[in-house]
Amino acid sequence: MLDVDYLERLEHYFKSGDCKFEFDNGEEERRLLILDFLERLMELGEIADDMATKLIFKDAYASLTSEEGADQARADEAAQAGDSDQK
């Protein structure tokens, strides 16, 4: 499912100016297709960002999604703030 080659081709398509050229010189249907593609890609980017955060910080994220974990995070923050005030 991970196709890095496709991502590289897509990156080249944007950076080379090919996408802009196609948009500027394309028929209306092609322009709409490009805009739809870019919108979908941006939505997937947001999903990928969320996924990366969850994968990287899965333990911290999991603890914050429970009531006990959130309470503990608040207590830890308060303790750190108290330590800072004493210095």
Side-chain angles (χ1 to χ4, degrees), residues 8-60:
E8 289 173 355
R9 288 194 319 270
L10 195 56
E11 180 181 15
H12 179 265
Y13 176 66
F14 294 142
K15 286 184 173 181
S16 68
D18 289 346
C19 181
K20 184 178 180 345
F21 180 84
E22 282 190 39
F23 185 83
D24 291 343
N25 297 293
E27 300 291 325
E28 187 67 20
E29 185 176 329
R30 182 67 178 169
R31 289 179 178 182
L32 292 174
L33 183 63
I34 290 170
L35 291 176
D36 287 341
F37 182 85
L38 292 172
E39 183 177 355
R40 180 75 189 269
L41 186 61
M42 288 185 292
E43 290 168 357
L44 287 174
E46 290 175 14
I47 293 169
D49 185 45
D50 289 342
M51 177 61 65
T53 301
K54 289 176 185 175
L55 292 174
I56 294 167
F57 301 108
K58 67 180 177 182
D59 294 333

